[in-house]
Amino acid sequence: MDVKEAWSKTSEKTKSGWRKSAAGTTNVLDALSPVCAPFAARWDMEADRRHQLRTPENLKKLMDAQKAHNSARALAARAKSERTKARAESKNPLATGRRAARVADKAARKGREAAKADLQVARKDYPATLTQVAVRAHAVHVLTAGIASYAWSTAADWTTWPGVTSASLIAAHVGGLWLGHRAVTCAVEDEDVTADERRLMERLDPSYWVGHAADRGLAGTVTSPPQMTPAGIVCGVRMDGKWSVSEFKGKEESIRALLGM
């Protein structure tokens, strides 16, 4: 056998294997993307809400609230110290100095609580970004997992599952967002279809339909892979228990809008 021919056949088999593997991976990702899409959509909605609240006006209110809270804490600490000092100077609970220090301490504590409540409101009005919240939460979990791993380990055996669990959570979080934001596409391999037919087949594909049906009021329905036949494009639709054929037919306008017709 010619060496060049043998090399060519080997290369073709390798390329074919890679194509099949890549196609299989793409199919798996296309199936997982619609599942993670609600998580990514909720993340985007919350991130956008927080971004809109982070205005210069709300930042100024937060800074003022922090300054007032720090001042109230310092005043409460001084009032508490004065009350302790007054108690030490007089054993009579009705003494003028003790009563004045007690009233001042009570007023300072109320002011501190009011300043703390105002600070909490200001923090809600100017929240941290969702990315910052996620990083802090994962950092706390990683720190806790590291301490647990160290505490439960021995010289002969290291406990690694807390750290592995923490890393898995981070990977699941990042992977879920990536899959949810991933654009699902359908490749039509038939070269004899027109551009309009190709566009319709791509939108009738289950990967596209499931990801966009809920926006058109068609949640609970899923298509089967479309087929090009001599009679045109043929595609089945599976409906869950809340749907009937007549109800689905009544959604013709929504279906046409989903298909871009």
Side-chain angles (χ1 to χ4, degrees), residues 191-231:
E191 298 180 356
D192 296 331
V193 298
T194 65
D196 289 338
E197 291 171 340
R198 182 182 300 275
R199 179 173 54 82
L200 286 175
M201 293 181 71
E202 289 176 350
R203 295 200 172 197
L204 283 170
D205 188 87
S207 59
Y208 182 90
W209 183 278
V210 172
H212 298 80
D215 298 336
R216 299 292 182 179
L218 298 169
T221 64
V222 60
T223 57
S224 60
Q227 302 291 331
M228 176 58 69
T229 68

Side-chain angles (χ1 to χ4, degrees), residues 10-247:
T10 304
S11 299
E12 287 298 328
K13 289 182 180 179
T14 303
K15 290 179 181 178
S16 177
W18 276 106
R19 291 194 194 99
K20 290 181 180 179
S21 177
T25 302
T26 301
N27 291 337
V28 172
L29 294 179
D30 286 347
L32 292 176
S33 291
V35 177
C36 299
F39 168 65
R42 186 166 184 175
W43 174 280
D44 292 340
M45 183 175 62
E46 177 63 16
D48 184 63
R49 184 189 72 82
R50 289 172 176 266
H51 178 72
Q52 292 178 0
L53 288 174
R54 291 172 64 84
T55 61
E57 293 79 8
N58 288 339
L59 176 59
K60 185 177 183 302
K61 291 179 182 179
L62 176 60
M63 295 177 66
D64 292 341
Q66 288 176 337
K67 186 183 298 184
H69 182 244
N70 292 336
S71 177
R73 288 179 60 191
L75 180 61
R78 285 198 302 270
K80 183 178 181 180
S81 177
E82 291 295 332
R83 186 176 182 180
T84 303
K85 182 179 178 181
R87 284 178 176 176
E89 292 176 351
S90 175
K91 300 298 182 181
N92 183 9
L94 299 179
T96 303
R98 288 190 61 171
R99 286 190 291 110
R102 183 167 59 250
V103 171
D105 181 47
K106 185 176 180 180
R109 283 189 282 112
K110 287 185 177 180
R112 182 187 61 191
E113 295 300 324
K116 183 179 180 180
D118 292 339
L119 178 60
Q120 291 176 345
V121 172
R123 283 175 175 170
K124 290 182 179 179
D125 292 339
Y126 190 83
T129 63
L130 195 56
T131 301
Q132 291 175 339
V133 173
V135 169
R136 291 171 186 172
H138 286 304
V140 171
H141 195 276
V142 169
L143 179 62
T144 306
I147 294 174
S149 296
Y150 178 79
W152 294 339
S153 297
T154 63
D157 185 25
W158 281 88
T159 303
T160 59
W161 68 264
V164 173
T165 302
S166 182
S168 299
L169 289 174
I170 296 174
H173 190 173
V174 176
L177 287 177
W178 179 78
L179 283 172
H181 290 130
R182 182 176 176 272
V184 179
T185 59
C186 168
V188 179
E189 298 179 357
D190 194 346
E191 298 180 356
D192 296 331
V193 298
T194 65
D196 289 338
E197 291 171 340
R198 182 182 300 275
R199 179 173 54 82
L200 286 175
M201 293 181 71
E202 289 176 350
R203 295 200 172 197
L204 283 170
D205 188 87
S207 59
Y208 182 90
W209 183 278
V210 172
H212 298 80
D215 298 336
R216 299 292 182 179
L218 298 169
T221 64
V222 60
T223 57
S224 60
Q227 302 291 331
M228 176 58 69
T229 68
I233 301 174
V234 176
C235 178
V237 179
R238 181 177 60 80
M239 298 174 285
D240 62 16
K242 71 176 183 179
W243 283 93
S244 65
V245 177
S246 59
E247 289 175 341

